[in-house]
Amino acid sequence: MAAAKTLAADGEILVKARFLGWKVTHAAYPVSPSEALIQPPDFTPDLVIVGSHGRSALGRLVMGSVSQSVLAYSTCSVRVSRGDEKAASGVGAPTRLILGIDGSVNSAVAVSAVAGRAWSAGTEVKVIAVINAQFVSALFMPGSSPHPSWMWTGDDDGESWARRAVKTVTRELSAIGLIASTLVVVGNPKTYLVEEAERWEAHCIFLGAKGHNSIERLLLGSVSAAVAARAHCSVEIVRQG
C-alpha cells in the first residue's frame, strides 16, 4: 500500500504539470486494480483511462487483464491509451481522430464526446462508416437512431444512408472548428478501422459502446474490444452516462 500511494502521488504530480487548470487528487485502494477502476469506492467516474501492454502486434492483440476487464465491465466511457511521443510533445502533424459511426444511439454519444472536447487548432477528424451485414440490420431497429437525419426511411440502401449520415456528422464537427472528412466503405469494421487508423497515423479512435449489461458486454467484443486490442493508437469507447 505504501508503494501504491507513492506511485499514485507521483501520477498526480505528472497530471497537474500537464493540465494546469485541473483539480487533481490521488488515491490507493487495497483491492484488485480492475475492481478499483470499475467501481471506485468514493466517487463515480465519467471516464476511466487505462494503459495497454504495448504497441507491438502481440502487445496490442493481448491486452492486459485489467484493461480487458475495465473495458468490458465499466459502466462509463473507457479510454485505452497508447503513448505517442510526437503527440505528447506537440511536435509534428496535428491531432488526428477517427470516429466510427453506425447510426445508433451509441454512435451519437461518441459524436457528442468528440464535439464536446476542446481540441487544438488544426485537429482533423475522419468520420467512417464501415458497412457490413450487422450495419445494415441495425437500420431496421425502430428508434435506434437519435438524429432525425440519420433515420433510415427504407427508400435508400445502406450505403446511401451511410453517406448521408457521415456528411451530417462532418457538418456538425466542422461547425465547431474541426477539420472533418468522410469515408464510407464495405468491409469488416474490426479490421478496417484499425488498418485505416494506422495508415492515416491517427492518434485516437472513438467508438460508441453497446452498453454494459451481460449480453451487451458479450457483443462489445464484436467491434469495440477488437479495435481497442489491435489498434496502434489510443481507443476511446464512449458510453452514455
Side-chain angles (χ1 to χ4, degrees):
M1 280 300 297
K5 288 178 181 178
T6 299
L7 185 61
D10 290 343
E12 177 184 333
I13 293 171
L14 291 173
V15 176
K16 280 183 174 178
R18 178 75 175 173
F19 301 99
L20 300 179
W22 286 20
K23 177 182 177 182
V24 185
T25 60
H26 71 274
Y29 306 110
V31 296
S32 69
S34 56
E35 181 181 350
L37 292 169
I38 292 168
Q39 194 171 7
D42 48 6
F43 73 104
T44 301
D46 298 308
L47 173 66
V48 176
I49 302 173
V50 293
S52 72
H53 268 258
R55 299 182 61 181
S56 68
L58 180 61
R60 291 198 304 266
L61 185 60
V62 185
M63 284 202 305
S65 59
V66 173
S67 300
Q68 289 178 328
S69 296
V70 173
L71 187 64
Y73 293 97
S74 177
T75 58
C76 68
S77 299
V78 176
R79 184 183 182 98
V80 179
S81 183
R82 293 184 171 93
D84 187 311
E85 293 180 2
K86 289 191 294 184
S89 63
V91 176
T95 300
R96 287 181 168 179
L97 312 174
I98 281 182
L99 174 58
I101 69 166
D102 62 8
S104 66
V105 173
N106 309 305
S107 286
V109 174
V111 172
S112 297
V114 173
R117 302 275 175 89
W119 300 103
S120 58
T123 295
E124 302 174 19
V125 184
K126 184 174 289 190
V127 183
I128 301 179
V130 183
I131 303 171
N132 61 3
Q134 289 79 12
F135 181 101
V136 175
S137 64
L139 299 178
F140 288 91
M141 297 176 63
S144 63
S145 175
H147 200 300
S149 63
W150 283 16
M151 293 299 289
W152 186 59
T153 62
D155 298 330
D156 53 6
D157 57 25
E159 184 173 348
S160 298
W161 174 92
R163 294 189 183 282
R164 188 173 71 248
V166 294
K167 286 180 180 178
T168 297
V169 174
T170 55
R171 284 196 296 268
E172 179 181 342
L173 298 178
S174 296
I176 61 172
L178 298 174
I179 301 172
S181 59
T182 67
L183 184 60
V184 176
V185 297
V186 176
N188 183 346
K190 294 181 187 178
T191 57
Y192 188 86
L193 291 171
V194 170
E195 291 169 357
E196 179 62 17
E198 189 152 11
R199 186 195 68 78
W200 196 49
E201 297 183 349
H203 298 100
C204 187
I205 302 171
F206 281 80
L207 296 170
K210 296 292 183 184
H212 51 262
N213 62 40
S214 58
I215 295 178
E216 289 169 331
R217 285 198 298 268
L218 179 63
L219 292 175
L220 181 69
S222 64
V223 175
S224 302
V227 171
R230 298 168 182 169
H232 80 288
C233 60
S234 298
V235 178
E236 187 160 328
I237 307 303
V238 184
R239 288 187 172 94
Q240 192 165 17

